[in-house]
Amino acid sequence: MKFEQYYKKVQCPILFLPSEEECGNEKIRSCLHTFASLLDTYEIERLESSVHAYVWMQLPIASGEAANRFISKYDVLEKDIFNDSSTAY
C-alpha cells in the first residue's frame, strides 16, 4: 500500500508536529500539506525551538501540551456528535 492510500483511510483527527527545520524545508512542507489534504480533520502545529524530526522526544512537555489541546478540542466535538439525539446510529 502506498503511503497516500493509508492517509485516505484515516478517519480520526491528526496532529502534525513538524520541527522548525522541517517547516523551513519547502519539499517537506509540500509533502506534509499533500498528506494533510487527504485527511478530513487535521492540524499542523510548529513548536518554537524544535529542531529534531522527533519533536516529541526533544520537547516532551510542549509536545504533550499540544497533543492535550488537540485531543481536548476533538474529544469535545466527538462527544457533541454522539450526544446529538437527532443522529441515528
Side-chain angles (χ1 to χ4, degrees):
M1 176 185 301
K2 290 184 177 182
F3 212 54
E4 295 84 8
Q5 292 171 325
Y6 169 77
Y7 271 84
K8 288 179 183 179
K9 293 179 182 236
V10 174
Q11 296 180 11
C12 63
I14 299 294
L15 173 62
F16 293 98
L17 294 174
S19 68
E20 285 189 26
E21 181 181 4
E22 291 166 322
C23 288
N25 182 312
E26 187 176 331
K27 187 175 182 177
I28 292 173
R29 226 179 26 253
S30 175
C31 288
L32 178 62
H33 285 284
T34 297
F35 288 132
S37 73
L38 301 172
L39 301 166
D40 290 331
T41 307
Y42 70 92
E43 289 184 23
I44 300 172
E45 184 172 338
R46 182 186 55 82
L47 299 177
E48 191 173 327
S49 302
S50 59
V51 295
H52 194 279
Y54 298 102
V55 174
W56 58 271
M57 290 174 64
Q58 179 202 8
L59 302 169
I61 293 173
S63 297
E65 289 170 349
N68 239 355
R69 286 189 303 274
F70 180 79
I71 290 167
S72 295
K73 184 185 309 182
Y74 290 100
D75 188 42
V76 169
L77 292 175
E78 183 177 300
K79 286 177 183 174
D80 288 345
I81 291 168
F82 286 114
N83 289 330
D84 182 357
S85 59
S86 65
T87 305
Y89 294 98

Coordinates of all heavy atoms in Angstrom, one line a residue:
M1 N 0.8 -1.2 0.0 CA 0.0 0.0 0.0 C 0.9 1.2 0.0 O 1.8 1.3 0.8 CB -0.9 0.0 1.2 CG -1.7 1.2 1.4 SD -2.8 1.4 2.9 CE -3.8 0.0 2.8
K2 N 0.6 2.2 -0.9 CA 1.3 3.4 -0.9 C 0.9 4.3 0.3 O -0.2 4.2 0.8 CB 1.0 4.2 -2.2 CG 1.6 3.6 -3.4 CD 1.3 4.4 -4.6 CE 1.9 3.9 -5.8 NZ 1.7 4.7 -7.0
F3 N 1.8 5.1 0.8 CA 1.6 6.0 1.9 C 0.3 6.8 1.7 O -0.5 7.0 2.6 CB 2.8 6.8 2.2 CG 3.0 7.1 3.6 CD1 3.1 6.1 4.6 CD2 3.2 8.5 4.0 CE1 3.3 6.4 5.9 CE2 3.4 8.8 5.3 CZ 3.5 7.7 6.3
E4 N 0.1 7.3 0.5 CA -1.0 8.2 0.2 C -2.3 7.4 0.5 O -3.3 8.0 0.9 CB -1.0 8.7 -1.2 CG 0.2 9.6 -1.5 CD 1.4 8.8 -1.9 OE1 1.4 7.6 -2.0 OE2 2.5 9.5 -2.0
Q5 N -2.4 6.1 0.1 CA -3.6 5.3 0.3 C -3.9 5.2 1.8 O -5.0 5.1 2.2 CB -3.4 4.0 -0.4 CG -3.4 4.1 -1.9 CD -3.0 2.8 -2.5 OE1 -2.2 2.0 -2.0 NE2 -3.6 2.5 -3.7
Y6 N -2.8 5.1 2.6 CA -3.0 5.0 4.1 C -3.7 6.2 4.6 O -4.7 6.1 5.4 CB -1.7 4.7 4.7 CG -1.7 4.9 6.2 CD1 -2.2 3.9 7.0 CD2 -1.2 6.0 6.8 CE1 -2.3 4.0 8.4 CE2 -1.3 6.2 8.2 CZ -1.8 5.1 9.0 OH -1.8 5.3 10.3
Y7 N -3.2 7.4 4.2 CA -3.8 8.6 4.7 C -5.3 8.8 4.3 O -6.1 9.3 5.0 CB -3.0 9.8 4.2 CG -1.9 10.2 5.1 CD1 -0.6 9.6 5.1 CD2 -2.0 11.2 6.1 CE1 0.4 9.9 5.9 CE2 -1.0 11.5 7.0 CZ 0.2 10.9 6.9 OH 1.2 11.2 7.8
K8 N -5.6 8.3 3.1 CA -7.0 8.4 2.7 C -8.0 7.5 3.5 O -9.1 7.8 3.6 CB -7.1 7.9 1.2 CG -6.6 8.9 0.2 CD -6.7 8.4 -1.2 CE -6.0 9.3 -2.2 NZ -6.1 8.9 -3.5
K9 N -7.4 6.5 4.2 CA -8.2 5.6 5.1 C -8.4 6.1 6.5 O -9.2 5.7 7.3 CB -7.6 4.2 5.1 CG -7.7 3.5 3.7 CD -7.1 2.2 3.8 CE -7.2 1.6 2.4 NZ -7.8 0.3 2.4
V10 N -7.5 7.1 6.9 CA -7.5 7.6 8.3 C -8.8 8.4 8.5 O -9.1 9.2 7.7 CB -6.3 8.4 8.6 CG1 -6.4 9.1 9.9 CG2 -5.0 7.6 8.5
Q11 N -9.5 8.1 9.6 CA -10.7 8.8 9.9 C -10.7 9.7 11.1 O -11.5 10.5 11.4 CB -11.9 7.8 10.0 CG -12.1 7.0 8.8 CD -13.3 6.0 8.9 OE1 -14.0 6.0 9.9 NE2 -13.4 5.2 7.9
C12 N -9.7 9.5 12.0 CA -9.6 10.3 13.2 C -8.8 11.6 12.9 O -8.0 11.7 11.9 CB -8.9 9.5 14.3 SG -7.2 9.0 13.9
P13 N -9.0 12.6 13.7 CA -8.2 13.8 13.6 C -6.7 13.5 13.8 O -6.3 12.7 14.6 CB -8.7 14.7 14.7 CG -10.1 14.1 15.1 CD -9.9 12.7 14.8
I14 N -5.9 14.2 13.0 CA -4.4 14.0 13.1 C -3.7 15.3 13.4 O -4.1 16.4 12.9 CB -3.9 13.5 11.7 CG1 -4.5 12.2 11.3 CG2 -2.4 13.4 11.7 CD1 -4.2 11.0 12.3
L15 N -2.8 15.3 14.4 CA -2.0 16.4 14.7 C -0.6 16.2 14.2 O 0.1 15.2 14.6 CB -1.9 16.6 16.3 CG -1.0 17.7 16.8 CD1 -1.4 19.0 16.3 CD2 -1.0 17.6 18.3
F16 N -0.1 17.1 13.3 CA 1.3 17.0 12.9 C 2.1 18.0 13.7 O 1.6 19.1 13.9 CB 1.3 17.5 11.4 CG 0.6 16.5 10.4 CD1 -0.6 16.8 10.0 CD2 1.3 15.4 9.9 CE1 -1.3 16.0 9.1 CE2 0.7 14.6 9.0 CZ -0.6 14.8 8.6
L17 N 3.2 17.6 14.1 CA 4.2 18.4 14.9 C 5.5 18.5 14.2 O 6.5 17.9 14.7 CB 4.3 17.9 16.3 CG 3.1 17.9 17.2 CD1 3.4 17.2 18.5 CD2 2.7 19.3 17.5
P18 N 5.6 19.2 13.1 CA 6.8 19.2 12.4 C 7.8 20.2 13.1 O 7.4 21.1 13.8 CB 6.5 19.9 11.0 CG 5.2 20.7 11.3 CD 4.5 19.9 12.4
S19 N 9.1 19.9 12.9 CA 10.1 20.8 13.5 C 10.2 22.0 12.7 O 9.8 22.1 11.6 CB 11.5 20.0 13.6 OG 12.0 19.9 12.2
E20 N 10.9 23.0 13.3 CA 11.2 24.3 12.6 C 12.0 24.0 11.3 O 11.7 24.6 10.3 CB 11.9 25.3 13.5 CG 11.0 25.9 14.5 CD 11.7 27.0 15.3 OE1 12.7 27.7 14.7 OE2 11.4 27.3 16.4
E21 N 12.9 23.1 11.4 CA 13.7 22.7 10.3 C 12.9 22.1 9.2 O 13.0 22.5 8.0 CB 14.8 21.7 10.7 CG 15.7 21.3 9.6 CD 16.7 20.2 10.0 OE1 16.7 19.8 11.2 OE2 17.6 19.9 9.2
E22 N 12.0 21.2 9.5 CA 11.1 20.7 8.5 C 10.2 21.7 7.9 O 9.9 21.7 6.7 CB 10.2 19.5 9.2 CG 11.0 18.3 9.5 CD 10.3 17.4 10.4 OE1 9.5 17.8 11.3 OE2 10.5 16.2 10.3
C23 N 9.7 22.6 8.7 CA 8.8 23.7 8.2 C 9.6 24.6 7.3 O 9.0 25.2 6.4 CB 8.2 24.5 9.4 SG 7.0 23.6 10.3
G24 N 10.9 24.7 7.5 CA 11.7 25.6 6.7 C 12.1 25.0 5.4 O 12.6 25.6 4.5
N25 N 11.9 23.7 5.2 CA 12.2 22.9 4.0 C 11.0 22.9 3.1 O 10.0 22.2 3.4 CB 12.7 21.5 4.4 CG 13.1 20.7 3.2 OD1 12.4 20.6 2.2 ND2 14.3 20.1 3.3
E26 N 11.1 23.5 2.0 CA 9.9 23.6 1.1 C 9.4 22.2 0.6 O 8.2 22.0 0.6 CB 10.2 24.5 -0.2 CG 9.0 24.7 -1.0 CD 9.4 25.7 -2.2 OE1 10.3 26.5 -2.0 OE2 8.7 25.6 -3.2
K27 N 10.3 21.3 0.3 CA 9.9 20.0 -0.1 C 9.2 19.2 1.0 O 8.1 18.6 0.7 CB 11.1 19.2 -0.6 CG 10.8 17.9 -1.2 CD 12.1 17.2 -1.7 CE 11.7 15.9 -2.4 NZ 12.9 15.2 -2.9
I28 N 9.7 19.3 2.2 CA 9.0 18.6 3.3 C 7.6 19.3 3.6 O 6.6 18.6 3.8 CB 9.9 18.6 4.6 CG1 11.1 17.8 4.4 CG2 9.1 18.2 5.8 CD1 12.2 17.8 5.5
R29 N 7.6 20.6 3.6 CA 6.4 21.3 3.8 C 5.3 20.9 2.8 O 4.2 20.7 3.1 CB 6.6 22.8 3.8 CG 6.0 23.6 4.9 CD 6.3 25.1 4.9 NE 6.6 25.7 3.6 CZ 7.8 26.2 3.2 NH1 8.8 26.0 4.1 NH2 8.0 26.7 2.1
S30 N 5.7 20.8 1.5 CA 4.8 20.5 0.4 C 4.3 19.0 0.7 O 3.1 18.8 0.5 CB 5.6 20.5 -0.9 OG 4.7 20.1 -1.9
C31 N 5.1 18.1 1.0 CA 4.7 16.7 1.3 C 3.7 16.7 2.5 O 2.7 16.0 2.4 CB 5.9 15.8 1.6 SG 6.9 15.5 0.2
L32 N 4.0 17.4 3.5 CA 3.2 17.5 4.7 C 1.8 18.0 4.3 O 0.8 17.4 4.7 CB 3.8 18.4 5.8 CG 2.9 18.6 7.0 CD1 2.7 17.3 7.7 CD2 3.6 19.6 7.9
H33 N 1.7 19.0 3.5 CA 0.4 19.6 3.1 C -0.3 18.6 2.1 O -1.5 18.5 2.1 CB 0.6 21.0 2.5 CG 0.8 22.0 3.5 ND1 -0.2 22.5 4.4 CD2 2.0 22.6 4.0 CE1 0.3 23.4 5.2 NE2 1.6 23.5 5.0
T34 N 0.4 17.9 1.3 CA -0.2 16.9 0.4 C -0.8 15.8 1.2 O -2.0 15.5 1.0 CB 0.9 16.3 -0.5 OG1 1.4 17.4 -1.4 CG2 0.3 15.2 -1.4
F35 N -0.1 15.3 2.2 CA -0.7 14.2 3.1 C -1.8 14.8 3.9 O -2.9 14.1 4.0 CB 0.4 13.6 4.0 CG 1.4 12.8 3.3 CD1 2.7 12.9 3.5 CD2 1.0 11.8 2.4 CE1 3.7 12.1 2.8 CE2 1.9 11.0 1.7 CZ 3.2 11.2 1.9
A36 N -1.7 15.9 4.4 CA -2.8 16.5 5.2 C -4.0 16.7 4.4 O -5.1 16.6 4.9 CB -2.3 17.9 5.8
S37 N -3.9 17.1 3.1 CA -5.1 17.3 2.3 C -5.9 16.0 2.0 O -7.0 16.1 1.6 CB -4.6 17.9 0.9 OG -4.0 16.9 0.1
L38 N -5.3 14.9 2.3 CA -6.0 13.6 2.2 C -6.8 13.3 3.4 O -7.6 12.3 3.4 CB -5.0 12.5 1.9 CG -4.1 12.6 0.7 CD1 -3.1 11.6 0.6 CD2 -5.0 12.6 -0.6
L39 N -6.7 14.1 4.5 CA -7.4 13.8 5.7 C -8.6 14.7 5.8 O -8.7 15.8 5.3 CB -6.5 14.1 6.9 CG -5.2 13.3 6.9 CD1 -4.2 13.9 7.9 CD2 -5.5 11.8 7.3
D40 N -9.6 14.3 6.6 CA -10.8 15.1 6.8 C -10.5 16.2 7.9 O -10.9 17.3 7.7 CB -12.0 14.2 7.3 CG -12.5 13.4 6.2 OD1 -12.5 13.8 5.0 OD2 -13.1 12.3 6.6
T41 N -9.8 15.8 8.9 CA -9.5 16.7 10.1 C -8.1 16.6 10.5 O -7.6 15.5 10.8 CB -10.4 16.3 11.3 OG1 -11.8 16.3 10.8 CG2 -10.3 17.4 12.4
Y42 N -7.4 17.7 10.5 CA -6.0 17.7 10.9 C -5.6 19.1 11.4 O -6.3 20.1 11.1 CB -5.1 17.3 9.7 CG -5.0 18.4 8.6 CD1 -4.1 19.3 8.6 CD2 -6.0 18.3 7.6 CE1 -4.0 20.3 7.6 CE2 -5.9 19.3 6.6 CZ -4.9 20.3 6.6 OH -4.9 21.2 5.6
E43 N -4.5 19.2 12.1 CA -3.9 20.5 12.4 C -2.4 20.3 12.3 O -1.9 19.2 12.5 CB -4.3 20.9 13.9 CG -5.7 21.3 14.0 CD -6.0 21.8 15.4 OE1 -5.1 22.2 16.1 OE2 -7.2 21.7 15.8
I44 N -1.8 21.4 11.9 CA -0.3 21.4 11.9 C 0.2 22.4 12.8 O -0.2 23.6 12.8 CB 0.2 21.7 10.4 CG1 -0.3 20.7 9.4 CG2 1.7 21.9 10.4 CD1 0.0 21.1 8.0
E45 N 1.0 22.0 13.8 CA 1.4 23.0 14.8 C 3.0 22.9 14.9 O 3.5 21.8 15.2 CB 0.8 22.7 16.2 CG 1.2 23.7 17.2 CD 0.5 23.5 18.6 OE1 -0.6 23.0 18.6 OE2 1.0 24.0 19.6
R46 N 3.6 24.0 14.7 CA 5.1 24.0 14.8 C 5.4 24.5 16.2 O 4.9 25.6 16.6 CB 5.7 25.0 13.8 CG 7.2 25.0 13.8 CD 7.7 26.1 12.9 NE 7.2 27.4 13.1 CZ 7.6 28.2 14.0 NH1 8.6 27.9 14.9 NH2 7.1 29.4 14.1
L47 N 6.2 23.8 16.9 CA 6.6 24.2 18.2 C 7.9 25.0 18.1 O 8.9 24.6 17.5 CB 6.8 23.0 19.1 CG 5.6 22.1 19.4 CD1 5.9 20.9 20.2 CD2 4.5 22.9 20.0
E48 N 7.9 26.1 18.8 CA 9.1 27.0 18.7 C 10.3 26.3 19.3 O 10.2 25.5 20.3 CB 8.8 28.3 19.6 CG 9.8 29.3 19.4 CD 9.4 30.6 20.1 OE1 8.2 30.9 20.2 OE2 10.3 31.3 20.6
S49 N 11.4 26.5 18.6 CA 12.7 25.9 19.0 C 12.9 24.5 18.7 O 13.8 23.8 19.2 CB 13.0 26.2 20.5 OG 13.0 27.6 20.8
S50 N 11.9 23.9 18.0 CA 12.1 22.5 17.7 C 13.0 22.3 16.5 O 12.9 23.0 15.5 CB 10.7 21.9 17.3 OG 10.1 22.5 16.3
V51 N 14.0 21.4 16.6 CA 15.0 21.2 15.6 C 15.1 19.8 15.2 O 15.9 19.4 14.4 CB 16.4 21.7 16.1 CG1 16.3 23.2 16.2 CG2 16.9 21.1 17.3
H52 N 14.4 18.9 15.8 CA 14.6 17.5 15.6 C 13.3 16.9 14.9 O 12.2 17.4 15.2 CB 14.9 16.8 16.9 CG 15.4 15.4 16.7 ND1 14.6 14.3 16.5 CD2 16.7 14.9 16.7 CE1 15.3 13.2 16.4 NE2 16.6 13.5 16.5
A53 N 13.5 15.9 14.1 CA 12.4 15.2 13.4 C 11.4 14.6 14.5 O 10.2 14.5 14.2 CB 12.9 14.2 12.4
Y54 N 12.0 14.2 15.6 CA 11.1 13.6 16.7 C 10.9 14.7 17.7 O 11.4 14.6 18.8 CB 11.8 12.4 17.2 CG 12.0 11.3 16.2 CD1 13.2 11.1 15.6 CD2 10.9 10.5 15.8 CE1 13.4 10.1 14.6 CE2 11.0 9.5 14.9 CZ 12.3 9.3 14.3 OH 12.4 8.4 13.3
V55 N 10.1 15.7 17.4 CA 9.8 16.8 18.3 C 9.4 16.3 19.6 O 9.8 16.9 20.6 CB 8.8 17.7 17.6 CG1 8.4 18.9 18.5 CG2 9.4 18.3 16.3
W56 N 8.6 15.3 19.7 CA 8.0 14.8 21.0 C 9.1 14.4 21.9 O 8.9 14.3 23.1 CB 6.9 13.8 20.7 CG 7.4 12.6 20.0 CD1 7.5 12.4 18.6 CD2 8.0 11.4 20.5 NE1 8.0 11.2 18.3 CE2 8.4 10.6 19.4 CE3 8.3 11.0 21.8 CZ2 8.9 9.3 19.6 CZ3 8.9 9.7 22.0 CH2 9.2 8.9 20.9
M57 N 10.2 13.9 21.3 CA 11.4 13.5 22.2 C 12.2 14.7 22.6 O 12.7 14.7 23.7 CB 12.2 12.5 21.4 CG 11.6 11.1 21.2 SD 12.5 10.0 20.2 CE 14.0 9.8 21.2
Q58 N 12.3 15.7 21.8 CA 13.1 16.8 22.1 C 12.4 17.8 23.1 O 13.0 18.3 24.0 CB 13.4 17.6 20.8 CG 14.3 18.9 21.1 CD 14.1 19.9 19.9 OE1 13.3 19.7 19.0 NE2 14.9 20.9 20.0
L59 N 11.1 17.9 22.8 CA 10.3 18.9 23.6 C 9.1 18.1 24.2 O 7.9 18.4 23.8 CB 9.8 20.1 22.8 CG 11.0 20.9 22.2 CD1 10.4 21.9 21.1 CD2 11.7 21.6 23.2
P60 N 9.3 17.2 25.1 CA 8.1 16.3 25.5 C 7.0 17.1 26.2 O 5.9 16.8 26.0 CB 8.8 15.3 26.5 CG 10.1 16.0 26.9 CD 10.5 16.8 25.8
I61 N 7.4 18.1 27.0 CA 6.3 18.9 27.7 C 5.5 19.7 26.7 O 4.3 19.6 26.7 CB 6.9 19.7 28.8 CG1 7.5 18.8 29.9 CG2 5.8 20.7 29.4 CD1 8.2 19.5 31.0
A62 N 6.2 20.4 25.8 CA 5.5 21.2 24.8 C 4.7 20.4 23.9 O 3.5 20.7 23.5 CB 6.4 22.1 24.1
S63 N 5.2 19.2 23.5 CA 4.5 18.3 22.6 C 3.3 17.7 23.3 O 2.2 17.6 22.7 CB 5.4 17.2 22.2 OG 6.5 17.6 21.4
G64 N 3.5 17.3 24.5 CA 2.3 16.8 25.3 C 1.2 17.8 25.5 O 0.0 17.5 25.4
E65 N 1.6 19.1 25.7 CA 0.6 20.1 25.9 C -0.1 20.3 24.6 O -1.4 20.5 24.5 CB 1.3 21.4 26.4 CG 1.7 21.3 27.8 CD 2.6 22.5 28.2 OE1 3.0 23.3 27.4 OE2 2.8 22.6 29.5
A66 N 0.6 20.3 23.4 CA 0.0 20.5 22.1 C -1.0 19.3 21.9 O -2.1 19.5 21.4 CB 1.0 20.6 21.0
A67 N -0.6 18.1 22.2 CA -1.4 16.9 22.0 C -2.6 17.0 22.9 O -3.8 16.7 22.4 CB -0.6 15.7 22.3
N68 N -2.5 17.5 24.1 CA -3.6 17.6 25.0 C -4.6 18.6 24.5 O -5.8 18.3 24.6 CB -3.1 18.1 26.4 CG -3.4 17.1 27.5 OD1 -4.1 16.1 27.3 ND2 -2.9 17.4 28.7
R69 N -4.2 19.7 24.0 CA -5.1 20.7 23.5 C -5.8 20.1 22.3 O -7.1 20.3 22.1 CB -4.3 22.0 23.0 CG -3.9 22.9 24.1 CD -3.3 24.2 23.6 NE -2.2 24.1 22.6 CZ -0.9 23.9 23.0 NH1 -0.6 23.9 24.2 NH2 0.0 23.9 22.0
F70 N -5.1 19.5 21.4 CA -5.7 18.9 20.2 C -6.7 17.8 20.6 O -7.9 17.8 20.1 CB -4.6 18.3 19.4 CG -5.0 17.6 18.1 CD1 -5.3 18.4 17.0 CD2 -5.1 16.2 18.0 CE1 -5.7 17.8 15.8 CE2 -5.5 15.6 16.8 CZ -5.8 16.4 15.7
I71 N -6.4 16.9 21.5 CA -7.3 15.8 21.9 C -8.5 16.4 22.6 O -9.7 16.0 22.3 CB -6.6 14.8 22.8 CG1 -5.6 14.0 22.0 CG2 -7.6 13.9 23.5 CD1 -4.6 13.3 22.9
S72 N -8.3 17.4 23.4 CA -9.4 18.0 24.1 C -10.4 18.7 23.2 O -11.6 18.6 23.3 CB -8.9 19.1 25.1 OG -8.2 18.5 26.1
K73 N -9.9 19.3 22.2 CA -10.7 20.0 21.2 C -11.6 19.0 20.4 O -12.8 19.2 20.3 CB -9.8 20.8 20.2 CG -10.6 21.6 19.2 CD -9.7 22.2 18.1 CE -8.5 23.0 18.7 NZ -7.7 23.7 17.7
Y74 N -11.0 18.0 20.0 CA -11.7 17.0 19.1 C -12.5 16.0 20.0 O -13.5 15.5 19.5 CB -10.8 16.3 18.1 CG -10.4 17.3 17.1 CD1 -9.1 17.9 17.2 CD2 -11.3 17.7 16.1 CE1 -8.8 18.9 16.2 CE2 -10.9 18.6 15.2 CZ -9.7 19.2 15.2 OH -9.3 20.2 14.3
D75 N -12.1 15.8 21.2 CA -12.9 15.0 22.1 C -14.2 15.6 22.4 O -15.3 15.0 22.4 CB -12.1 14.7 23.4 CG -12.8 13.7 24.3 OD1 -13.2 12.7 23.8 OD2 -12.8 13.9 25.5
V76 N -14.3 16.9 22.6 CA -15.5 17.7 22.8 C -16.4 17.6 21.6 O -17.6 17.3 21.8 CB -15.2 19.2 23.2 CG1 -16.5 20.0 23.2 CG2 -14.5 19.2 24.5
L77 N -15.8 17.7 20.4 CA -16.6 17.6 19.2 C -17.2 16.2 19.1 O -18.4 16.1 18.7 CB -15.8 18.0 18.0 CG -15.3 19.4 17.9 CD1 -14.4 19.6 16.7 CD2 -16.5 20.3 17.7
E78 N -16.4 15.2 19.4 CA -16.9 13.8 19.3 C -18.1 13.6 20.3 O -19.1 13.0 19.9 CB -15.8 12.9 19.5 CG -16.2 11.4 19.3 CD -15.0 10.5 19.5 OE1 -14.1 10.6 18.8 OE2 -15.1 9.6 20.4
K79 N -17.9 14.1 21.5 CA -19.0 13.9 22.5 C -20.3 14.6 22.0 O -21.3 14.1 22.2 CB -18.5 14.4 23.8 CG -17.5 13.5 24.5 CD -17.0 14.1 25.8 CE -16.0 13.2 26.4 NZ -15.4 13.8 27.6
D80 N -20.1 15.8 21.4 CA -21.3 16.5 20.9 C -22.0 15.7 19.8 O -23.2 15.6 19.8 CB -20.9 17.9 20.4 CG -20.5 18.9 21.5 OD1 -20.8 18.6 22.6 OD2 -19.9 19.9 21.1
I81 N -21.2 15.1 19.0 CA -21.8 14.3 17.9 C -22.5 13.1 18.4 O -23.7 12.8 18.1 CB -20.7 13.9 16.9 CG1 -20.2 15.1 16.1 CG2 -21.2 12.8 15.9 CD1 -18.9 14.8 15.3
F82 N -21.9 12.4 19.4 CA -22.6 11.2 19.9 C -23.7 11.5 20.9 O -24.6 10.7 21.1 CB -21.5 10.3 20.6 CG -20.6 9.6 19.6 CD1 -19.3 9.9 19.6 CD2 -21.1 8.7 18.8 CE1 -18.5 9.3 18.6 CE2 -20.3 8.0 17.8 CZ -19.0 8.3 17.8
N83 N -23.8 12.7 21.4 CA -24.9 13.1 22.3 C -26.0 13.7 21.6 O -27.0 14.0 22.2 CB -24.4 14.0 23.4 CG -23.5 13.3 24.4 OD1 -23.6 12.1 24.7 ND2 -22.5 14.0 25.0
D84 N -25.9 13.9 20.3 CA -26.9 14.5 19.5 C -28.0 13.5 19.3 O -27.9 12.5 18.5 CB -26.4 15.0 18.1 CG -27.4 15.7 17.2 OD1 -28.6 15.8 17.7 OD2 -27.0 16.1 16.2
S85 N -29.2 13.7 19.9 CA -30.3 12.7 19.8 C -30.9 12.6 18.5 O -31.6 11.7 18.2 CB -31.3 13.1 20.9 OG -31.8 14.3 20.7
S86 N -30.7 13.6 17.6 CA -31.3 13.6 16.3 C -30.5 12.7 15.3 O -30.9 12.4 14.2 CB -31.3 15.0 15.7 OG -30.1 15.5 15.5
T87 N -29.3 12.3 15.8 CA -28.4 11.4 14.9 C -28.8 9.9 15.2 O -28.8 9.5 16.3 CB -26.9 11.6 15.2 OG1 -26.7 13.0 15.1 CG2 -26.1 10.9 14.3
A88 N -29.1 9.2 14.1 CA -29.4 7.8 14.2 C -28.1 7.0 13.9 O -27.4 7.3 13.0 CB -30.5 7.4 13.2
Y89 N -27.8 6.0 14.8 CA -26.7 5.2 14.6 C -27.1 3.7 14.3 O -28.0 3.2 14.9 CB -25.7 5.2 15.8 CG -25.1 6.6 16.0 CD1 -25.7 7.5 16.9 CD2 -24.1 7.0 15.2 CE1 -25.1 8.7 17.0 CE2 -23.5 8.2 15.3 CZ -24.0 9.1 16.3 OH -23.5 10.4 16.4

